[in-house]
């Protein structure tokens, strides 16, 4: 049976559009119809946009004139914390449910210039705080492989939309694993670029020293195509970096894959996930890559350090939402009432929790014990990773310690945080990382995908995408 | 150990109200999280760098100004209350 247009990859669609196998309009309709049909069950999209006839016609014209942009005419799903001018951007929060973006994020400007189309805005954990998309103010996103399970998060809507073919590819954001975690749970590819590699102008901030925009796609090659289109220095983002800021390291065809054995053998990592991880590494050695056992004991405090910095930055960033200028505005008797009522009604439970934790770790009596110590641990970790890359080209772990869990299973917030053990290191070090599906494990009759995670030195995204493609073929 | 009173104080500082019936569970979870991240103390880390990192100007150069008023209406349309192009807020300084 031939695949429907919405089931294809960016590469396949770009070729088919140029071979006149279908038009941009037919492609849009296939994606939009699939989204309308499946979204009531999955809740991947918070809003499906009307077709933009002018943009569809313009994309078709460019293709008819043999434009080389691979993203021309490609319908994409965009996470709800990325601004598209004139559209609501709510970060899945009641606080911003009425907020209409006044400008395009830089990544959106770049995608529009490439001729891409936008199907809708996707569900997420409120303000990108969580790991399952259960913290959305508008209901969780369900996993397309088993709707009793979570999609992962925080970019769960984007990952589910890609996995269920409700779009060709999507953008998410990654603060502690928010692109890679749902990529693992939904069986798609998720790339977290080097910190500063992609502009964050027009992205609703969560934790600013970690946040990066990243692609979610059906293949590693598609992820690379999207990354190529959105990355680059931007004067509108003071943290963005030019290409070539970090000296490239010589990498051969055959890679030295560093394996964090001690970390992977820790309690809490699912046995089936571990077995699949070992089997996948084994396959990579048959392709000529070599495995190197590495130890980075500095990883042990990483999760604690990550959360301290996350709380601190979240509480600082979310201080701007006060009910005065935009967003939810509840009025009381006094100005203080206005602030308190707007914030208490606007923020959900996890967001409130992190704001309070951030207020605590930054308070004068505790800042040395928590925030400054976490910052030191982060510096030490980064040095240790840089040193580890003297003996290997990439570092491998599973993306998540478990396959997708059941809705409501991790109601204890700390249990949810512990799922991030493998992903937060890339955010702490600023290094790029990818999750690519390494197969699936069976749970109660459902085949649940599981991701392989690779980290590379700063700005070595090309190595990650090439290795991801090798895993797909292995 | 955080107490309910401390959580209430933090909430007041953060301009957030935690409902009374939520306070106990909230404080318990808050404490568990603090105990977890507090493990950082056990790790032998180099003494924190007390010096601040060198300051550098992260602002871009002025230039290419926007056309005046090109964003005024879009931004003002988001105001919860407006008078013309101005954001209307509660009076906070009394004339008495």
């Amino acid at each position: 049976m031939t695949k429907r247009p919405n089931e294809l990859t960016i590469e396949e669609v770009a070729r088919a559009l140029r071979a006149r196998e279908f038009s941009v309009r037919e492609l849009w309709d296939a994606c939009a119809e699939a989204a309308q049909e499946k979204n009531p069950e999955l809740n991947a999209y918070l809003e499906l946009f009307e077709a933009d006839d002018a943009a569809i016609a313009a994309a078709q014209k460019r293709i008819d004139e043999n434009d080389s942009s691979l993203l021309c005419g490609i319908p994409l799903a965009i996470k709800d914390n990325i601004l598209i001018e004139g559209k609501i951007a709510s970060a899945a929060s009641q606080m911003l449910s009425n907020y209409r973006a006044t400008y395009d994020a830089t990544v959106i400007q770049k995608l529009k210039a490439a001729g891409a189309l936008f199907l809708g805005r996707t569900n997420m954990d409120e303000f990108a705080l969580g790991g399952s998309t259960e913290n959305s103010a508008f209901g969780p996103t369900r996993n397309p492989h088993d709707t009793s399970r979570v999609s992962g998060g925080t970019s769960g809507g984007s990952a589910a939309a890609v996995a269920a073919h409700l779009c060709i590819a999507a953008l998410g954001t990654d603060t502690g694993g928010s692109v890679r975690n749902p990529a693992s749970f939904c069986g798609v590819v998720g790339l977290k670029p080097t910190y500063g590699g992609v502009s964050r102008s027009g992205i609703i901030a969560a934790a600013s020293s970690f946040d990066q925009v990243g692609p979610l796609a059906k293949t590693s090659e598609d992820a690379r195509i999207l990354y190529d289109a959105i990355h680059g220095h931007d004067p509108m983002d003071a943290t963005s970096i030019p290409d070539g800021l970090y000296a490239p390291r010589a990498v051969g065809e055959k890679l030295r894959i560093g394996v964090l054995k001690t970390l992977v053998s820790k309690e809490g990592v699912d046995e089936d996930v571990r077995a699949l991880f070992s089997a996948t590494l084994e396959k990579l050695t048959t392709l000529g890559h070599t495995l190197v056992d590495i130890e980075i004991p500095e990883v042990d405090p990483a999760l604690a350090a990550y959360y301290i910095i996350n709380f601190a930055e979240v509480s600082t960033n979310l201080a701007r939402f006060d009910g005065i200028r935009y967003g939810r505005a509840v009025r009381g008797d006094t100005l203080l009432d206005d602030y308190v009522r707007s914030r208490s009604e606007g923020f959900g439970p996890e967001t409130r929790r992190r704001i309070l934790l951030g207020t605590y770790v930054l308070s004068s009596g505790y800042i040395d014990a928590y925030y400054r110590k976490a910052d030191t641990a982060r510096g030490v970790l980064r040095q240790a990773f840089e040193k580890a890359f003297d003996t290997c080209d990439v570092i491998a772990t599973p993306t998540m310690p478990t396959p997708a869990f059941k809705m409501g299973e991790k109601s204890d917030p700390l249990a949810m945080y512990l799922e991030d053990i493998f992903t937060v290191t890339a955010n702490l070090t600023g290094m790029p990382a990818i999750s690519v599906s390494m197969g699936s494990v069976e749970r109660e009759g459902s085949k649940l995908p599981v991701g392989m995670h690779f980290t590379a030195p700063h700005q070595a995204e090309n190595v990650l995408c090439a290795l991801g493609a090798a895993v797909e073929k292995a | 150990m955080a107490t309910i009173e401390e959580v209430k104080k933090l909430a007041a500082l953060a301009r957030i109200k935690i409902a009374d019936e939520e306070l106990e569970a909230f404080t318990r979870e808050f404490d568990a999280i603090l105990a977890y991240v507090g493990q950082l103390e056990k790790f032998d880390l180099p003494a924190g760098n007390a010096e601040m990192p060198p300051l550098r100007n992260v602002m871009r150069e002025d230039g290419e100004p926007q056309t005046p008023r090109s964003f005024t209406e879009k931004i003002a349309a988001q105001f919860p209350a407006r008078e013309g192009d101005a954001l209307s807020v509660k009076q906070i300084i009394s004339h008495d």
Side-chain angles (χ1 to χ4, degrees):
Chain A
M1 206 174 95
T2 53
K3 285 182 181 175
R4 288 180 292 176
N6 57 303
E7 294 170 353
L8 302 175
T9 65
I10 295 174
E11 271 186 297
E12 290 166 342
V13 167
R15 188 200 52 73
L17 285 172
R18 281 157 187 81
R20 310 291 183 267
E21 288 172 22
F22 47 77
S23 66
V24 174
R25 170 69 64 177
E26 286 163 337
L27 171 65
W28 169 277
D29 287 346
C31 292
E33 279 163 25
Q36 263 148 19
E37 187 192 320
K38 293 268 186 64
N39 202 54
E41 186 184 15
L42 296 177
N43 201 25
Y45 287 97
L46 293 176
E47 181 187 353
L48 287 163
F49 302 147
E50 293 291 318
D52 180 342
D53 296 337
I56 291 172
Q60 186 65 56
K61 184 158 179 283
R62 283 175 66 171
I63 284 163
D64 292 342
E65 290 165 357
N66 292 316
D67 189 294
S68 63
S69 168
L70 291 174
L71 290 172
C72 190
I74 304 283
L76 302 174
I78 304 294
K79 191 175 180 181
D80 193 33
N81 59 352
I82 301 175
L83 271 51
I84 305 177
E85 189 184 338
K87 306 288 189 197
I88 299 274
S90 79
S93 178
Q94 293 291 358
M95 181 60 86
L96 291 175
S97 59
N98 61 351
Y99 172 70
R100 228 167 249 286
T102 51
Y103 62 102
D104 279 333
T106 298
V107 292
I108 295 299
Q109 285 175 17
K110 285 177 180 249
L111 291 175
K112 281 183 176 174
L117 307 171
F118 307 116
L119 279 159
R121 51 191 181 91
T122 52
N123 203 1
M124 55 186 281
D125 286 295
E126 181 181 20
F127 285 108
L129 311 176
S132 66
T133 311
E134 290 171 293
N135 292 336
S136 167
F138 308 106
T141 296
R142 293 178 179 275
N143 193 310
H145 298 274
D146 177 347
T147 52
S148 70
R149 292 173 188 270
V150 301
S151 57
T154 64
S155 312
S158 287
V162 174
H165 302 294
L166 314 186
C167 60
I168 303 300
L171 286 190
T173 59
D174 190 312
T175 302
S178 287
V179 160
R180 294 159 287 153
N181 159 334
S184 177
F185 282 3
C186 292
V188 300
V189 176
L191 173 69
K192 198 263 328 167
T194 303
Y195 182 72
V198 178
S199 169
R200 299 174 308 173
S201 173
I203 310 301
I204 299 172
S208 301
S209 75
F210 299 130
D211 296 342
Q212 263 298 285
V213 179
L216 288 130
K218 294 171 191 175
T219 64
S220 299
E221 177 59 15
D222 277 8
R224 190 195 61 75
I225 292 168
L226 262 177
Y227 167 72
D228 278 354
I230 60 174
H231 88 287
H233 179 252
D234 178 12
M236 299 296 280
D237 175 358
T239 61
S240 92
I241 57 172
D243 283 347
L245 178 69
Y246 297 91
R249 294 175 187 239
V251 179
E253 282 274 295
K254 306 298 177 201
L255 298 175
R256 297 169 300 166
I257 301 172
V259 183
L260 282 168
K261 270 237 165 96
T262 312
L263 189 64
V264 176
S265 57
K266 273 208 165 142
E267 200 187 331
V269 182
D270 183 277
E271 276 306 320
D272 292 343
V273 170
R274 207 176 284 151
L276 210 46
F277 176 70
S278 300
T280 308
L281 289 176
E282 201 54 46
K283 280 188 203 157
L284 288 171
T285 62
T286 64
L287 298 174
H289 304 297
T290 51
L291 304 182
V292 187
D293 278 344
I294 55 167
E295 294 293 340
I296 306 183
E298 292 83 354
V299 162
D300 291 341
L303 197 60
Y306 169 79
Y307 270 100
I308 290 168
I309 297 169
N310 178 292
F311 299 152
E313 294 186 4
V314 165
S315 72
T316 310
N317 271 325
L318 300 191
R320 78 189 66 184
F321 299 107
D322 55 9
I324 301 297
R325 293 154 299 156
Y326 57 92
R328 194 170 187 89
V330 188
R331 292 293 171 252
D333 293 338
T334 65
L335 184 64
L336 182 62
D337 290 339
D338 293 359
Y339 293 148
V340 172
R341 291 189 57 185
S342 299
R343 288 169 65 79
S344 304
E345 291 180 28
F347 293 134
E350 178 63 19
T351 306
R352 283 182 291 176
R353 177 166 23 250
R354 292 207 197 185
I355 291 172
L356 262 60
L357 284 160
T359 308
Y360 182 89
V361 300
L362 289 176
S363 60
S364 62
Y366 298 109
I367 190 164
D368 285 323
Y370 291 98
Y371 183 75
R372 296 222 169 90
K373 191 132 195 192
D375 198 42
T376 304
R378 176 185 199 168
V380 168
L381 181 78
R382 180 173 164 145
Q383 283 170 5
F385 264 73
E386 276 166 2
K387 192 157 160 279
F389 283 123
D390 290 340
T391 57
C392 62
D393 302 313
V394 296
I395 293 173
T397 61
T399 308
M400 300 299 292
T402 63
F405 44 87
K406 293 257 186 185
M407 295 273 176
E409 188 182 326
K410 308 251 177 218
S411 56
D412 167 26
L414 187 55
M416 186 78 84
Y417 298 172
L418 299 179
E419 286 275 309
D420 299 341
I421 180 84
F422 297 127
T423 51
V424 294
T425 51
N427 303 83
L428 285 161
T429 61
M431 290 168 179
I434 198 169
S435 176
V436 52
S437 182
M438 58 180 178
S440 55
V441 300
E442 197 167 316
R443 291 285 181 282
E444 299 170 5
S446 298
K447 278 196 154 58
L448 303 176
V450 178
M452 176 71 139
H453 187 266
F454 297 111
T455 309
H458 295 100
Q459 293 191 315
E461 282 85 355
N462 55 336
V463 176
L464 293 177
C465 292
L467 187 56
V471 172
E472 286 158 20
K473 289 193 197 95
Chain B
M1 286 290 282
T3 62
I4 286 182
E5 285 313 308
E6 277 175 311
V7 167
K8 275 176 143 168
K9 177 146 185 263
L10 288 168
L13 285 170
R15 305 286 188 255
I16 282 173
K17 179 159 175 53
I18 307 290
D20 288 345
E21 61 273 20
E22 289 176 50
L23 266 172
E24 203 185 307
F26 192 96
T27 306
R28 198 171 52 241
E29 285 168 349
F30 194 93
D31 241 2
I33 294 164
L34 279 183
Y36 179 78
V37 299
Q39 289 178 58
L40 207 53
E41 242 181 314
K42 287 192 325 212
F43 293 99
D44 188 23
L45 294 167
N49 186 358
E51 279 174 51
M52 299 299 285
L55 293 178
R56 66 184 174 97
N57 182 11
V58 298
M59 300 298 173
R60 69 190 163 93
E61 291 298 313
D62 284 344
E64 300 168 48
Q66 311 282 359
T67 318
R69 304 192 61 78
S70 57
F71 285 95
T72 307
E73 184 50 38
K74 284 179 200 163
I75 291 171
Q78 306 284 335
F79 294 164
R82 65 188 280 195
E83 283 177 36
D85 288 340
L87 168 64
S88 176
V89 295
K90 275 200 172 78
Q91 182 179 335
I92 52 167
I93 299 172
S94 158
H95 294 298
D96 303 333

